[in-house]
Amino acid sequence: MIIVLAVALAGAIGGAVGTAQAEGARSSHDRQLLFYNHSYGVFDRETADAIEHSDYLRDFANFQVRTTTGAGGQTWTGRYLMGRQTYLELFGVGDVAGQDGTLGSAGLGLSTERAGDLATVTARLKDEGVADPIAFLQTRDFGDGVPVPWFDAILTTTEYDAFGAWAMEYRPEYFADPRGNTEPPSYPGDVGRERYLSDDYRTHLMRDVTSVRIAVTAGDLADTVPLLRAGGFTVLTVAGGGVVAAGGGTTIRLDVVPRENAGMQRVDFALNRPVKDRHVEQIGHSTLTVGPGSRAVWTFAHNGTP
């Protein structure tokens, strides 16, 4: 899910101001509250169209192309690779309104597994230097014009260059709506990712996203680090000023670049079963390499250029 609606509601969009410093950041919290839910990237039209019409991706993953209507009537058209607990959301330029639909834009959704943990994340954010976390409710319209509460979310800022991250917690009303095709809870307070996603991944190769690498500006990174730390990730700096956030089964790497070089760079997947041979699939200006073994790697050319 994307943050354009929250930005529109909360105020004007500008260059990232940086709510905290990334240098030397580590989590000081003893419990993981946030987990990688999904990430998105915006690519050139040739790559987006190749993804949308790829027969291979339909075999590789539980693959969907759909237009979603959120709060305020905002719509976006995405290409989705859905796993057991995690997924990937892919756009072409203009598939999302405004700043979020520009080449090289990207986003990261982190979600709770237990009801009530988002409130704890919000409190932790204040300890991380975010004085006024921004809360919003996202809804979903299934086509009848009646919005259903979808998830609560928290942002550290509404000002960003090309990348935004948010914390989210699915709402009980969404799980109760049969049109969501969600699963029964596995434990009291279950608002987890596996419950939200279907089991259709079992009939495909892709199981889950195990790591993502995204190029972001220094300001966008500084605004994201407090959220990662508040969620319980261990955040370590790397050469060049970027960070690696570990925890919860998916590793997140954010590299610092100028805005013109920003964008999704790489996604690693775990497979449901090992494959004997290596398969390389060229999809627009991207390359998906599957196997050998139980992993796959999808790399994206810089902003859609070979």
Side-chain angles (χ1 to χ4, degrees), residues 93-116:
V93 172
D95 287 336
V96 185
Q99 184 177 358
D100 286 341
T102 58
L103 184 65
S105 292
L108 174 67
L110 307 170
S111 65
T112 65
E113 294 284 290
R114 294 182 178 274

Side-chain angles (χ1 to χ4, degrees), residues 26-45:
R26 292 184 64 93
S27 172
S28 59
H29 305 292
D30 59 359
R31 185 164 76 90
Q32 186 97 15
L33 297 179
L34 295 178
F35 300 81
Y36 173 94
N37 183 285
H38 70 283
S39 54
Y40 77 81
V42 180
F43 305 97
D44 64 282
R45 179 51 54 186

Side-chain angles (χ1 to χ4, degrees), residues 146-214:
V146 181
V148 176
W150 191 359
F151 57 82
D152 292 307
I154 295 291
L155 300 169
T156 65
T157 181
T158 59
E159 300 180 351
Y160 62 102
D161 296 320
F163 173 83
W166 63 96
M168 53 191 284
E169 184 168 292
Y170 292 117
R171 292 282 294 251
E173 298 94 328
Y174 189 85
F175 284 120
D177 193 310
R179 294 173 298 178
N181 295 316
T182 57
E183 300 173 3
S186 297
Y187 50 83
D190 180 7
V191 292
R193 300 162 296 166
E194 186 176 359
R195 184 182 178 195
Y196 173 76
L197 294 173
S198 79
D199 287 337
D200 289 348
Y201 75 93
R202 293 176 176 174
T203 61
H204 301 273
L205 269 179
M206 176 191 153
R207 181 176 180 84
D208 266 318
V209 174
T210 57
S211 71
V212 293
R213 185 170 184 174
I214 303 172

Side-chain angles (χ1 to χ4, degrees), residues 55-112:
D55 291 333
Y56 184 81
L57 286 178
R58 284 168 169 77
D59 290 332
F60 174 73
N62 175 16
F63 181 83
Q64 304 173 14
V65 179
R66 70 167 187 263
T67 298
T68 304
T69 302
Q74 294 283 344
T75 63
W76 57 94
T77 301
R79 301 138 192 84
Y80 297 85
L81 279 72
M82 316 290 279
R84 177 175 178 266
Q85 292 184 308
T86 59
Y87 68 95
L88 190 63
E89 189 173 26
L90 307 163
F91 298 105
V93 172
D95 287 336
V96 185
Q99 184 177 358
D100 286 341
T102 58
L103 184 65
S105 292
L108 174 67
L110 307 170
S111 65
T112 65

